[in-house]
Amino acid sequence: MEKRVEIGRTGLRVTPIGFGANTIGAHNLFQNIDEEVSRETLRAALGSGVDFFDSAFMYGLGRSEELIGEILSETGRRSDVVIATKAAHIVTDSGVKLDNSPEFLTDSVDIALKRLQTDYIDLFYIHFPDGVTPPDEAVGALQRLKEAGKIRAIGVSNFSMDTLKAANKDSYVDVVQDKYSLVYPDLEEDMIPYCREQGISFIPYTPLASGLLTGKFTAGNPPQDFRKDRPHFQGQAYLDNIAKVNSLQELADKHGVSIANIVLATTLGIDSIDVVIPGAKSPEQVLANRKTLQADLTSEDVAQVRALFK
């Protein structure tokens, strides 16, 4: 049986490689989304042992949640998995705004329950702070939903350090999700240590740095999409990062896995990071991500890979 870990102090136990569902049904974020491929990808995830699915309203304006609910209903597997989802956005013809009011969050949970075809959500995040609602009041609303049994754990995402501390005023925050990878490790200075001290689990998104840490790019073949405008994909910084990534090939070969698997395994070796949630657009990508579980890195391996990117 695969190793399962507890997400912080939540009582939720999962295998460490979850499933980031940001491409599932996400017509508003990606082009050429094929929903039948999304369904097959979810089925492959369940079949391969994935038991943690991370979604959000903004992933397809609820469509990601609906497809997850559909497949879990079809397979009868709801009780076998942990579902996380998020809300904060209101999308109208005039644009997008954020709302963390207790009323909005309460309604968002009720609507997500229907989309997911379930009567409880394991982990519910405030997706972004709205800059208006006092953070502790927003989290307090989720605490009431937790006490009512509609959610099992409380998360916040994309909160600054100060906003996180305000949100955790009553020690209700169970999980923090934010942008982190080996090439932008700034959160190791404050947020990750704070989570460790508070018993909060930290779940990184973009741990592969938008593909930079996968080994699929070369010095002469940088990405030509939106990523080319990001600092880590430009000039000497890009060349330096590619050289560092390539140097991981020997360790990857030793474990019979990919460079991306080594990066994910290293990320899991950081205190307070219990799980990672790489995305997948296809069944093949699900299986590739799952191979991370084969990379049994020592603490020395983890330290050496992290030091490489300092």
Side-chain angles (χ1 to χ4, degrees):
M1 178 173 292
E2 290 177 344
K3 178 184 77 169
R4 299 174 86 226
V5 297
E6 182 178 5
I7 301 175
R9 60 189 177 198
T10 64
L12 304 172
R13 297 189 66 82
V14 298
T15 51
I17 303 297
F19 183 102
N22 63 316
T23 65
I24 299 299
H27 300 277
N28 62 320
L29 301 177
F30 300 94
Q31 295 180 339
N32 303 317
I33 293 292
D34 183 329
E35 290 197 356
E36 192 48 47
V37 174
S38 292
R39 291 183 179 93
E40 288 302 319
T41 303
L42 291 170
R43 292 185 188 110
L46 286 168
S48 68
V50 172
D51 55 9
F52 181 40
F53 292 83
D54 180 273
S55 188
F57 163 72
M58 278 302 286
Y59 306 164
L61 305 184
R63 190 60 181 147
S64 175
E65 294 171 330
E66 289 174 347
L67 289 170
I68 291 171
E70 176 187 323
I71 297 304
L72 291 177
S73 177
E74 166 196 299
T75 57
R77 298 287 302 278
R78 172 63 185 99
S79 62
D80 298 334
V81 304
V82 168
I83 300 174
T85 193
K86 320 174 196 70
H89 299 80
I90 298 175
V91 180
T92 67
D93 291 341
S94 57
V96 179
K97 69 175 184 177
L98 299 171
D99 192 342
N100 293 175
S101 67
E103 297 80 11
F104 173 82
L105 293 173
T106 300
D107 288 345
S108 293
V109 166
D110 286 339
I111 294 168
L113 287 168
K114 292 177 182 176
R115 292 194 190 105
L116 290 162
Q117 300 185 44
T118 185
D119 56 5
Y120 67 97
I121 293 168
D122 298 282
L123 170 57
F124 191 87
Y125 293 93
I126 301 170
H127 202 166
F128 282 84
D130 66 6
V132 177
T133 307
D136 61 313
E137 288 186 17
V139 169
L142 295 187
Q143 177 65 19
R144 290 189 291 276
L145 292 168
K146 184 176 179 180
E147 291 165 356
K150 291 188 175 184
I151 67 175
R152 297 176 64 191
I154 295 168
V156 297
S157 182
N158 301 294
F159 277 43
S160 69
M161 195 64 235
D162 288 343
T163 309
L164 170 58
K165 288 181 176 178
N168 198 39
K169 174 183 172 184
D170 299 304
S171 299
Y172 289 153
V173 176
D174 297 306
V175 183
V176 168
Q177 187 174 131
D178 213 317
K179 184 177 183 178
Y180 169 87
S181 81
L182 298 179
V183 293
Y184 32 78
D186 295 355
L187 298 185
E188 291 181 26
E189 301 299 320
D190 50 14
M191 189 169 289
I192 291 177
Y194 175 79
C195 288
R196 186 180 309 125
E197 292 164 7
Q198 297 294 315
I200 295 170
S201 185
F202 180 85
I203 298 182
Y205 66 80
T206 63
L208 296 173
S210 300
L212 181 60
L213 299 179
T214 62
K216 68 182 179 181
F217 296 120
T218 65
N221 181 35
Q224 297 302 312
D225 55 18
F226 65 92
R227 289 173 288 194
K228 68 180 185 295
D229 297 322
R230 295 181 174 178
H232 292 300
F233 286 89
Q234 294 180 338
Q236 191 61 45
Y238 175 73
L239 297 177
D240 290 344
N241 283 318
I242 291 300
K244 292 173 183 178
V245 170
N246 290 341
S247 72
L248 298 177
Q249 189 64 59
E250 182 177 350
L251 186 59
D253 291 342
K254 175 183 174 182
H255 290 273
V257 299
S258 70
I259 288 174
N261 296 141
I262 293 296
V263 171
L264 292 175
T266 299
T267 304
L268 285 169
I270 298 171
D271 256 355
S272 298
I273 298 181
D274 302 306
V275 296
V276 291
I277 47 171
K281 293 181 180 178
S282 68
E284 293 76 19
Q285 289 180 354
V286 169
L287 298 178
N289 290 334
R290 293 285 289 171
K291 285 191 71 176
T292 300
L293 298 171
Q294 299 176 24
D296 187 18
L297 302 187
T298 65
S299 57
E300 290 79 12
D301 290 333
V302 170
Q304 288 175 8
V305 175
R306 292 177 68 189
L308 182 66
F309 290 92
K310 290 293 185 184

